[in-house]
Amino acid sequence: MAWKSRIVLLPIALLAAVLPAFAQTPEEKQIVDLANKSRAEAGVPALQWDAALAAAARAHALRMAQEGPISHRYGGEAGLPERAATAGAHFSLIEENIAIGPTPAQIHDGWMHSPGHHDNLLNPKIDRIGVALVSARGVLYAVADYSLSVASLTPADVESKVGAAVARHGVGLVSGPAVQDAHRYCALEEGKSSASLGIKAHFFMRWQSADIAKVPPELEKALASGQFTQAAVGACEAQGTGSATGAAFTAYRVAVLLF
């Protein structure tokens, strides 16, 4: 996770009406187009528009216009990861640029000449962007949120993906009580022994990741050993994926039992 606290301050006039619309405006599209033009020149992939990030950016841009001096966070406001997650974004990395300026082109130029903003905008690890521009006090209040997106998966989706990875090793998937045991082991608090659950498996593995299709090396080794013929897969709620105020970063938690 990274976002920069550097800001661009320009003189502003009296507060004017703010834009209520949530649809992408031509000016916001210009910010996206300029970002992708700069990324192309730097040899990094283009960013795709993310409506959830845009909604989070819009809410913060409105707050900036109301407050006056711009900031990444105001009193009583959630932090960037929580704001984006509440708006419906799924991500494993998130960044933010903010500014005020007279035009989209000048805002983009300011970001490109500011080291922190430049690094956020050209980060090759991000793949999504959401932008909001709010007109107030004779200038534009700009927020650009960037993220590395994560697919939105249900527990059944997670179990299906992991099950497919297990099955590729010729290990059969079981159902019934064994899957319930996998669910219980998945949800077991960190630091507690699996022995307390009384599960009769020969191999236990649980992990969480934004990319759940990649199983841990220890599990790959166990599956390839030929010692096991059956497996149970169970997904559960991820643990410790956010700040003290609640989960924000998207991760999936899953357990595999081998028999």
Side-chain angles (χ1 to χ4, degrees):
M1 175 187 69
W3 65 94
K4 303 296 187 272
S5 60
R6 299 177 180 86
I7 57 178
V8 180
L9 293 175
L10 298 174
I12 56 177
L14 295 177
L15 181 65
V18 296
L19 297 175
F22 282 84
Q24 186 184 42
T25 67
E27 291 80 10
E28 290 164 353
K29 184 178 184 301
Q30 186 178 354
I31 289 283
V32 177
D33 290 344
L34 288 168
N36 281 333
K37 181 175 183 294
S38 293
R39 287 176 68 86
E41 292 170 351
V44 294
L47 301 174
Q48 297 182 31
W49 179 259
D50 188 297
L53 287 180
R58 170 69 56 172
H60 189 64
L62 289 168
R63 184 72 181 267
M64 290 201 312
Q66 293 165 359
E67 297 281 348
I70 64 176
S71 173
H72 286 282
R73 188 175 186 179
Y74 297 99
E77 183 183 34
L80 172 60
E82 289 76 22
R83 295 199 310 265
T86 299
H90 296 271
F91 51 88
S92 59
L93 169 70
I94 191 161
E95 306 171 339
E96 180 173 87
N97 282 351
I98 61 175
I100 55 176
T103 67
Q106 287 174 284
I107 289 169
H108 174 77
D109 186 66
W111 284 340
M112 289 298 292
H113 286 86
S114 168
H117 296 96
H118 172 278
D119 292 348
N120 281 348
L121 201 157
L122 297 186
N123 187 347
K125 295 181 180 179
I126 61 173
D127 58 12
R128 297 289 189 274
I129 182 173
V131 174
L133 296 177
V134 171
S135 178
R137 305 183 184 185
V139 293
L140 295 172
Y141 286 74
V143 178
D145 288 341
Y146 314 98
S147 77
L148 175 60
S149 62
V150 172
S152 177
L153 302 176
T154 66
D157 292 333
V158 173
E159 291 173 4
S160 177
K161 284 182 174 293
V162 174
V166 169
R168 283 197 292 270
H169 290 270
V171 175
L173 299 176
V174 299
S175 58
V179 173
Q180 296 174 15
D181 286 342
H183 287 149
R184 292 194 297 131
Y185 176 59
C186 182
L188 185 67
E189 292 183 20
E190 292 294 344
K192 290 191 175 181
S193 171
S194 60
S196 65
L197 300 176
I199 297 173
K200 303 296 184 182
H202 300 298
F203 180 92
F204 296 77
M205 172 62 67
R206 62 179 176 176
W207 73 100
Q208 65 185 48
S209 172
D211 185 4
I212 205 67
K214 295 181 180 179
V215 302
E218 300 94 326
L219 179 57
E220 286 278 7
K221 183 178 179 180
L223 291 168
S225 70
Q227 299 179 53
F228 309 102
T229 59
Q230 293 182 314
V233 179
C236 62
E237 184 177 353
Q239 299 180 13
T241 55
S243 68
T245 58
F249 293 89
T250 303
Y252 301 103
R253 187 174 181 85
V254 63
V256 174
L257 307 179
L258 299 181
F259 307 91

